[in-house]
Amino acid sequence: MAARIIKVSPMFAVCFFGFGLGKRLQQRKPDDVLIVNDLSAPRILFAGGLAGIFNWEVAIPPDMLTSHFQTAPPGKYPNGFRDVLRELIREEGAASLYKGFTAVLIRAFPSNAACFLGFEVAMKFLNWVAPGL
């Protein structure tokens, strides 16, 4: 459980940072006022896609280590992820931690864009149903 928290906490942190950044980049008005709730669906989709890219830039290396560890024969890595990391870097170089990066980003942009659009629509609905909560 603790290992999972350590793995996903940075991913979620940069994911929501990317979403906030994507929203703020598009909210600038000529008079430099931020209008938080007036983003259109395409703008929210862009911010959500940006969040997915930020997320997976951080998530790919731990995900790669986890995949190698889980698919290895029992006992191959007695020291856990440190052994996996050493072997990957020794045999394939540091770039091996980013295998499949392009494919992941191609998938991450639309899936996270849709997810964050759903989040924003749900928040607007909940604010309409129960304002002020």
Side-chain angles (χ1 to χ4, degrees):
M1 178 72 168
R4 178 103 174 118
I5 291 170
I6 291 169
K7 177 183 170 186
V8 299
S9 294
M11 294 165 33
F12 286 127
V14 296
C15 184
F16 285 103
F17 169 78
F19 184 61
L21 178 65
K23 286 175 63 174
R24 282 184 180 81
L25 288 173
Q26 299 178 82
Q27 291 172 342
R28 296 274 178 203
K29 299 291 180 187
D31 58 356
D32 216 25
V33 174
L34 294 177
I35 300 173
V36 175
N37 294 321
D38 288 341
L39 285 182
S40 64
R43 291 175 183 259
I44 293 170
L45 288 169
F46 174 77
L50 188 64
I53 288 173
F54 275 49
N55 175 43
W56 280 102
E57 286 178 354
V58 173
I60 286 253
D63 192 55
M64 184 64 65
L65 293 174
T66 302
S67 297
H68 275 78
F69 183 74
Q70 291 175 339
T71 58
K76 181 173 181 179
Y77 300 115
N79 294 322
F81 294 110
R82 283 180 282 171
D83 286 348
V84 178
L85 180 62
R86 279 189 211 113
E87 181 180 293
L88 276 174
I89 290 177
R90 183 180 66 242
E91 292 181 5
E92 302 176 40
S96 66
L97 295 174
Y98 285 91
K99 276 186 185 176
F101 188 64
T102 303
V104 167
L105 291 187
I106 290 170
R107 175 188 56 92
F109 192 93
S111 65
N112 282 274
C115 178
F116 277 101
L117 179 62
F119 169 77
E120 288 290 327
V121 168
M123 289 303 294
K124 283 187 180 190
F125 175 75
L126 290 173
N127 285 329
W128 176 71
V129 170
L133 286 181

